[in-house]
Amino acid sequence: MRRLVSAVIGIVRGSFRDILLSKRKPEAIESGLWEFPGGKIESGELPLEALTRELHEEVGVIPSVAVPTFNYSYAHKHYDLNIFVYDVLKWTGNVRSREGQEIRWINSSELKNYDMPVPNKPIKMATILPHHSLVTAPFVGDEEAYLKRIELCLIGGVRLIQFRPEIADKILLLKLAERVSILCKKFDALVMFNIAMFVDQFQEFVQYFDGVHFPSRELLRLSKRPVPSSTLISASCHNQVELLKAQEVGLDFVYLSPVLSPVSHSASTYLGWDRSADLVNRSELPIYGLGGMTASDISTACSVGLHGISMVSELWNSKDPSYTVGEIEKKLLAFRV
């Protein structure tokens, strides 16, 4: 029987987008690689207790706000590794190397330049993904009004958008794509293009976006990752088969839906929190809950293992998206250690 090892990892955040990394010492396994600070959970310890102990022992950090962002399993060569990941938004202490290892603050945009052990890959992705995102409503009629609504959400603090206009007019879509891209760059926000209307031509749109999003039916047709690692890729998932497929073809993150009962689904088809938690615990990817999500759901979402929530009407129809974003951020700060 393979040995099970549980570990806890902290994404320790500094000013702006700075992230704290630690370098493995020469005598360690996979020496010279960089990693997020953390360590093994001792017998009888809860993950959060282990996080507090490990961060203090390793880098002098005492977490005060730690959001459970996801946990996953990894089959190591010699054992099975169960990893609990926390987003350390607030902390005290004096950051320093307490075990003789090199430590370094880096901007999260530089993570791609740092070689890390394989189990750290999904954590790298979780580091750049916010805990909330917007899926745009279908485009209706007025180009300026549509773009203004996206801009209002960006001004309000949205930093991840799935662009899903649902229009078949390629010329109009290209025009919108270019303008949405410019808007998102202005606010340093990530934007994903939903390929549903242009499955066979999505490569023409990639230049305007940080990544592409595949509906579940298109995900199931994939045999390999369809874009290079420099382009993000996400997908819609509704069950374990689709989640496993997303891992198999090397996706970066996914949307699980419908978690709660939205208008477009009957009450008998939504997953609910318990089923969502079960599916999340079988996945190795950061997952957003989608479907009926509101700001008040972020605490439960994170507690069951979701990376965060994604919303359509809650943000799109809001008179003040900044209020919704603010409510989410307040609830995240309530994850006090």
Side-chain angles (χ1 to χ4, degrees):
M1 180 179 293
R2 285 170 60 84
R3 183 164 59 101
L4 176 63
V5 176
S6 294
V8 64
I9 300 295
I11 302 172
V12 180
R13 299 190 183 271
S15 58
F16 188 48
R17 294 170 61 183
D18 284 354
I19 304 296
L20 186 63
L21 295 185
S22 176
K23 192 174 186 179
R24 293 195 171 191
K25 293 185 288 187
E27 64 272 20
I29 298 174
E30 297 183 294
S31 63
L33 296 183
W34 291 87
E35 61 186 352
F36 298 91
K40 294 179 182 178
I41 300 175
E42 295 180 352
S43 178
E45 270 189 325
L46 295 174
L48 197 55
E49 293 173 336
L51 178 76
T52 300
R53 176 183 54 77
E54 283 288 347
L55 291 187
H56 184 249
E57 289 178 355
E58 188 175 334
V59 293
V61 166
I62 303 171
S64 52
V65 174
V67 179
T69 190
F70 75 118
N71 61 278
Y72 64 100
S73 298
Y74 174 76
H76 195 275
K77 183 179 180 180
H78 302 294
Y79 52 83
D80 291 323
L81 187 59
N82 191 22
I83 305 172
F84 295 83
V85 183
Y86 287 84
D87 200 346
V88 182
L89 303 181
K90 300 284 185 181
W91 50 271
T92 58
N94 297 312
V95 176
R96 63 194 186 283
S97 171
R98 301 194 67 191
E99 296 180 344
Q101 81 281 29
E102 182 181 351
I103 62 173
R104 183 180 299 177
W105 286 105
I106 69 161
N107 189 279
S108 57
S109 63
E110 300 174 308
L111 273 171
K112 60 182 178 292
N113 301 324
Y114 285 76
D115 292 329
M116 291 185 161
V118 173
N120 278 243
K121 182 181 177 182
I123 309 175
K124 291 173 75 171
M125 183 52 53
T127 298
I128 68 170
L129 294 174
H131 290 286
H132 54 83
S133 74
L134 164 71
V135 178
T136 66
F139 175 81
V140 180
D142 189 333
E143 181 180 334
E144 296 304 322
Y146 193 80
L147 291 166
K148 188 66 179 177
R149 172 50 52 175
I150 291 176
E151 183 177 29
L152 186 63
C153 289
L154 289 166
I155 291 171
V158 171
R159 292 298 177 263
L160 173 62
I161 293 177
Q162 185 193 129
F163 179 55
R164 190 183 64 178
E166 297 185 7
I167 53 178
D169 184 334
K170 186 175 179 181
I171 294 176
L172 174 58
L173 183 55
L174 283 167
K175 185 179 178 182
L176 280 173
E178 183 173 8
R179 295 186 67 183
V180 168
S181 174
I182 292 171
L183 265 179
C184 289
K185 282 184 172 61
K186 177 182 175 182
F187 288 90
D188 198 24
L190 297 171
V191 57
M192 308 288 290
F193 172 55
N194 188 309
I195 70 162
M197 302 296 289
F198 288 88
V199 174
D200 298 323
Q201 304 172 60
F202 77 87
Q203 295 286 2
E204 297 181 41
F205 296 90
V206 169
Q207 63 178 309
Y208 299 108
F209 302 101
D210 297 289
V212 289
H213 176 86
F214 277 60
S216 57
R217 64 181 179 277
E218 304 304 332
L219 164 66
L220 293 174
R221 293 173 182 159
L222 294 176
S223 59
K224 62 181 181 180
R225 184 183 174 97
V227 294
S229 59
S230 57
T231 300
L232 298 176
I233 179 169
S234 62
S236 297
C237 294
H238 313 291
N239 53 51
Q240 187 177 354
V241 170
E242 292 167 356
L243 285 170
L244 290 175
K245 184 66 172 183
Q247 290 176 198
E248 177 189 322
V249 297
L251 268 61
D252 296 304
F253 64 99
V254 298
Y255 297 79
L256 180 65
S257 69
V259 175
L260 302 181
S261 183
V263 175
S264 58
H265 294 79
S266 68
S268 62
T269 61
Y270 75 96
L271 295 167
W273 291 119
D274 289 343
R275 178 59 179 151
S276 296
D278 181 58
L279 289 170
V280 166
N281 288 331
R282 297 169 185 265
S283 176
E284 298 174 7
L285 300 174
I287 301 175
Y288 286 98
L290 176 64
M293 296 287 99
T294 67
S296 62
D297 295 310
I298 187 64
S299 299
T300 305
C302 290
S303 295
V304 303
L306 290 162
H307 176 74
I309 59 175
S310 191
M311 298 163 283
V312 186
S313 57
E314 175 82 348
L315 284 169
W316 192 259
N317 297 329
S318 174
K319 292 181 179 179
D320 183 11
S322 65
Y323 175 79
T324 301
V325 171
E327 288 299 296
I328 291 172
E329 291 176 347
K330 281 195 293 187
K331 289 183 178 299
L332 291 174
L333 291 174
F335 279 96
R336 302 197 64 83
V337 178

